[in-house]
Amino acid sequence: MKLKEAQYAKTLYEVTKDKDQKEIDIVVSGFFKLLVKNGQFNLAKKIIAKFESFWNEKKGIIEVEVITRAEMGKENLVRVEEYIKGKYEAKEVLINNKVDEKIKGGIIIKVEDEILDGSVANQLKMLKNNLSK
Amino acid sequence: MSKDYIIEQLKKQIENFETTVESEKVGAVIEVGDGIAKISGLSDVMSSEMLEFSEGIYGVVLNLEEGQIGAMILGDCSGIKEGDIVKSTGKILSVPVGESLIGRVVSPLGEALDDKGEIQSEKFYPVEKIAPGVITRKSVSVPVQTGIKAIDGMIPIGRGQRELIIGDRQVGKTAIAIDTIINQKGKDLICIYVAIGQKESKVARIVAELEKRGAMDHTIVVVAGASDPAALSYIAPFAGCAMGEYFMDQGKDVLIIYDDLSKHAWAYRQTSLILKRPPGREAYPGDIFYLHSRLLERSARLSDDFGGGSITALPIIETQAGDVSAYIPTNVISITDGQIYLEKDSFYKGIRPAINAGLSVSRVGSSAQIKAMKKVAGKLRLDLAQYRELEGFAQFGSDLDEKTRAQIERGKRTVEVLKQDQYDPMSVENQVAIVYALTNGFLDDVPVEKLKTWEVDFHKFMKSSEKDTLDLILEKKELTEEVVEKLEKSIKEFKETYQS
């Protein structure tokens, strides 16, 4: 039976947790040898992605994509971090700040498949829909 | 209107406008084509939930798979690109319902297609709904008067019944349905005409005809045209049914016409094949039977405890070269409570409506027929059957014995009387009178070729000078001795005075 990437990722997590760096190196190289042996090395990318989300979930880490019109200042970054920590009960927040001029202002926060659209562009769109009714 | 006024109005509107920011679940389009989109993300989406694509186009979730979902797009899919954001709405697909829809032409999503402005409705009903259960139902007892002699006489339809109209193309299937709608003018039945995959020109003609005859006042027309996406054709009958269910819940009676379910099956087959669901017989998906059975099961007569409303369904099926044993026709025949079978041969012979009395049945409708009609029409079917058997001998003419010739003559007159022009529905008391005259031999001495004008004049005479006889039939609803006596007197009186 061929294993799926989710199963690989979960196994990899199980065998590497609570181990020191040296042991992890051995386990990981063994893991990739197994992948090659099973002829599923092409799954490696997907497994890494799955492993990452699995790891984040276990450790309470949340990756956030924040879109603003201009680069955010330190103060605002901290405020966004606090907000996310409160909302998702996360221990650690990784913020990935993207700059997009098209949103005209405000902020868009993306967490996995949830989106908080507080951009000026979106509000203008809502106004347009409201007026054209 | 001055410029300042417009600006003032706009200012006022903008003043009251407030935006709210809420977190939404979103996904991204992976693949799009042929009206179907594959979407990743949207982790908490429900089956048959509405999705919002960009530019206000909506979609419906059909497949929930590991890592992706399959959704059909209700509208123009040409503007949707890979990577587009899709928002979930948290709402199951529903349509606006209510009185404001009556007299309107709407899309399957309840948007106006006519020029009478936006549809204002606060109530929404889900498109997919479980049919009423056993406890809530009762058997049919009130007739739907189609105004067509052959149907009201031989294949009666009751409120809450599902009667299939089946036949080849161009044999008058839609004509029967439209006549039935026209006949409901001024009565208590709300009609919903659902056009599925029909030519827009045909729908326009029907709407114009209904408007001309004042039948739009009690009618809703739901249109999924031939050029609309298959997804719209797929939901059209369900949307029409949801609109009807609202009135049924109010205790009213509704008549729905699904024109036609063969095209509905094609639309569903297309959607299913693109979603990579496995094909079965005639390439239809495995749940094609359930598709139609769950739709038609929603027609019901509710018991008095539940308001006593009803939905009567007249689904239409188009056969190919008279083949009723194809997959979809057999399915729908087995679901419905009877069928009206229309024949190409009779149609071209000029027998219109081209109903084949032998193959058409109504399994439950006879209990809804008024007693007077039941009594006079009993002989009708027999006369026709005997005529059909003897029709071949008719060519031998004089070599036949007296009894056979009489039967053939009666048969010819029966066929002639059952012919009826389009858009010319007849009230039930007139039907009883003419059929009584026919089955009791009062027409045997009228020449067949003059029967048509004779009948027209007869109805005119009855309406003008023998109105009390007609009223008596309608009041008693039964052939009591009093009624028979009066009716025979009227017929004899007409025959005496009539000169063709």
Side-chain angles (χ1 to χ4, degrees):
Chain A
M1 192 192 83
K2 286 209 169 181
L3 292 173
K4 291 230 168 129
E5 55 264 26
Q7 289 165 304
Y8 274 122
K10 199 174 172 191
T11 320
L12 192 60
Y13 175 79
E14 294 289 331
V15 295
T16 53
K17 70 173 179 189
D18 311 326
K19 301 242 165 96
D20 63 30
Q21 191 59 42
K22 222 173 163 190
E23 282 173 303
I24 289 175
D25 284 348
I26 299 168
V27 169
V28 171
S29 74
F31 178 78
F32 279 101
K33 275 181 195 155
L34 176 81
L35 265 190
V36 174
K37 198 180 136 204
N38 286 359
Q40 286 177 292
F41 193 72
N42 54 348
L43 287 181
K45 253 191 175 169
K46 284 184 184 165
I47 294 172
I48 293 168
K50 277 270 177 206
F51 180 77
E52 230 171 82
S53 67
F54 204 69
W55 178 270
N56 286 347
E57 193 188 312
K58 290 278 174 191
K59 302 278 175 188
I61 304 170
I62 280 187
E63 278 184 63
V64 190
E65 194 183 317
V66 177
I67 305 169
T68 45
R69 187 168 180 272
E71 196 89 33
M72 276 202 296
K74 195 120 201 198
E75 199 183 313
N76 281 337
L77 274 177
V78 172
R79 275 170 65 191
V80 169
E81 199 180 321
E82 288 304 315
Y83 171 75
I84 306 263
K85 270 187 184 169
K87 190 170 179 197
Y88 297 96
E89 293 168 2
K91 288 181 192 132
E92 206 181 325
V93 179
L94 300 175
I95 293 182
N96 176 12
N97 190 190
K98 278 191 182 168
V99 174
D100 186 354
E101 295 212 334
K102 275 185 224 151
I103 73 165
K104 294 191 176 83
I107 189 170
I108 299 176
I109 302 173
K110 277 186 190 172
V111 181
E112 282 173 17
D113 63 354
E114 221 171 316
I115 193 166
L116 192 75
D117 194 340
S119 68
V120 174
N122 185 43
Q123 295 187 9
L124 281 175
K125 206 172 93 188
M126 286 202 257
L127 180 65
K128 182 184 151 198
N129 287 345
N130 192 331
L131 287 181
S132 64
K133 251 183 198 171
Chain B
M1 217 187 279
S2 74
K3 195 171 68 186
D4 290 343
Y5 176 75
I6 296 173
I7 292 170
E8 200 57 40
Q9 284 292 312
L10 277 176
K11 267 187 187 164
K12 218 184 257 171
Q13 252 179 306
I14 293 170
E15 230 166 63
N16 296 332
F17 178 68
E18 270 175 42
T19 56
T20 50
V21 179
E22 276 168 16
S23 67
E24 295 164 302
K25 289 274 182 185
V26 294
V29 175
I30 313 174
E31 193 186 310
V32 61
D34 304 315
I36 295 291
K38 295 271 167 69
I39 300 158
S40 72
L42 284 171
S43 51
D44 291 334
V45 81
M46 296 175 282
S47 179
S48 83
E49 182 177 329
M50 272 213 268
L51 300 176
E52 193 185 344
F53 290 85
S54 51
E55 304 299 322
I57 291 170
Y58 285 93
V60 183
V61 179
L62 283 182
N63 274 8
L64 295 172
E65 292 158 30
E66 191 187 356
Q68 65 172 34
I69 58 170
M72 59 183 180
I73 302 162
L74 302 169
D76 182 17
C77 63
S78 59
I80 295 167
K81 304 183 297 292
E82 187 198 337
D84 271 4
I85 283 177
V86 185
K87 288 177 189 164
S88 69
T89 59
K91 277 189 294 188
I92 296 289
L93 181 63
S94 33
V95 289
V97 295
E99 268 80 13
S100 58
L101 283 157
I102 294 176
R104 304 299 300 267
V105 182
V106 297
S107 76
L109 298 174
E111 295 152 342
L113 293 179
D114 49 17
D115 49 4
K116 293 177 189 161
E118 205 185 328
I119 284 168
Q120 306 284 347
S121 184
E122 276 147 31
K123 290 203 187 71
F124 285 81
Y125 263 41
V127 162
E128 291 278 0
K129 205 173 173 204
I130 302 290
V134 177
I135 301 299
T136 60
R137 290 178 188 247
K138 87 178 185 190
S139 56
V140 300
S141 52
V142 183
V144 173
Q145 296 296 349
T146 64
I148 298 166
K149 282 173 276 182
I151 295 176
D152 288 345
M154 295 186 294
I155 321 147
I157 301 168
R159 294 192 178 180
Q161 193 183 343
R162 301 151 306 168
E163 181 80 11
L164 172 68
I165 302 173
I166 187 168
D168 276 6
R169 66 192 163 74
Q170 292 293 315
V171 290
K173 301 186 297 295
T174 306
I176 288 182
I178 299 304
D179 277 359
T180 310
I181 294 180
I182 290 173
N183 193 42
Q184 306 314 318
K185 193 183 164 185
K187 293 177 192 159
D188 57 346
L189 205 56
I190 296 161
C191 303
I192 301 174
Y193 178 77
V194 185
I196 307 157
Q198 299 285 351
K199 292 182 276 283
E200 306 267 350
S201 62
K202 182 183 169 183
V203 178
R205 213 172 53 229
I206 288 170
V207 172
E209 196 61 52
L210 290 177
E211 238 153 38
K212 195 173 124 198
R213 291 171 196 280
M216 273 310 274
D217 301 341
H218 57 263
T219 307
I220 304 171
V221 178
V222 181
V223 182
S227 64
D228 288 332
L232 282 180
S233 294
Y234 160 59
I235 63 161
F238 294 98
C241 194
M243 291 169 191
E245 270 164 353
Y246 169 78
F247 296 112
M248 179 167 75
D249 290 346
Q250 308 282 313
K252 292 178 186 163
D253 293 321
V254 181
L255 172 78
I256 302 193
I257 289 138
Y258 303 115
D259 192 5
D260 63 80
L261 288 187
S262 334
K263 293 198 180 69
H264 182 234
W266 294 347
Y268 188 57
R269 173 168 65 181
Q270 176 186 333
T271 309
S272 290
L273 289 175
I274 296 168
L275 279 168
K276 300 209 173 73
R277 291 182 182 171
R281 183 177 157 191
E282 292 180 24
Y284 289 107
D287 62 340
I288 192 83
F289 183 87
Y290 179 56
L291 175 78
H292 287 149
S293 68
R294 73 170 189 263
L295 171 69
L296 293 170
E297 200 58 21
R298 284 161 72 178
S299 316
R301 177 80 202 274
L302 294 183
S303 68
D304 296 335
D305 297 345
F306 293 87
S310 73
I311 293 183
T312 312
L314 290 181
I316 294 178
I317 288 278
E318 186 181 295
T319 54
Q320 306 294 329
D323 183 14
V324 284
S325 56
Y327 192 24
I328 302 301
T330 45
N331 275 357
V332 182
I333 286 172
S334 76
I335 297 164
T336 48
D337 306 310
Q339 69 273 352
I340 296 169
Y341 183 66
L342 301 177
E343 253 177 350
K344 214 155 103 193
D345 290 347
S346 325
F347 187 81
Y348 292 133
K349 264 190 232 163
I351 303 169
R352 298 172 194 186
I355 294 167
N356 179 323
L359 291 178
S360 303
V361 289
S362 173
R363 283 174 221 157
V364 294
S366 63
S367 54
Q369 228 173 355
I370 65 168
K371 276 195 180 132
M373 195 61 176
K374 206 191 276 185
K375 200 157 185 191
V376 295
K379 266 188 181 163
L380 204 61
R381 206 179 250 280
L382 195 71
D383 282 349
L384 264 185
Q386 283 173 343
Y387 172 59
R388 200 161 292 251
E389 222 167 75
L390 298 171
E391 210 179 355
F393 297 114
Q395 312 165 21
F396 300 117
S398 55
D399 293 349
L400 295 168
D401 64 272
E402 198 58 37
K403 205 182 148 210
T404 315
R405 198 159 48 219
Q407 271 176 356
I408 290 173
E409 288 301 315
R410 174 68 63 81
K412 276 184 190 163
R413 281 165 181 78
T414 308
V415 170
E416 196 61 31
V417 165
L418 290 182
K419 284 183 190 172
Q420 197 170 344
D421 289 338
Q422 206 179 341
Y423 311 130
D424 188 21
M426 187 180 290
S427 57
V428 66
E429 60 272 21
N430 283 83
Q431 290 186 23
V432 170
I434 185 75
V435 176
Y436 183 86
L438 172 76
T439 51
N440 289 287
F442 289 101
L443 303 185
D444 289 351
D445 51 356
V446 181
V448 176
E449 48 284 359
K450 282 184 185 153
L451 205 53
K452 196 166 172 143
T453 46
W454 189 95
E455 194 192 334
V456 172
D457 292 331
F458 173 66
H459 290 309
K460 261 189 217 155
F461 169 78
M462 292 296 280
K463 263 184 197 148
S464 55
S465 32
E466 297 289 327
K467 190 92 177 55
D468 50 336
T469 313
L470 293 180
D471 290 342
L472 194 70
I473 296 172
L474 204 58
E475 186 202 325
K476 296 271 177 197
K477 291 197 162 92
E478 230 175 308
L479 281 189
T480 54
E481 270 174 39
E482 183 196 358
V483 175
V484 170
E485 206 175 294
K486 220 164 158 45
L487 189 56
E488 286 201 4
K489 203 179 121 244
S490 303
I491 296 170
K492 276 177 192 151
E493 209 174 298
F494 175 69
K495 283 189 77 171
E496 270 167 33
T497 55
Y498 185 71
Q499 260 122 41
S500 50

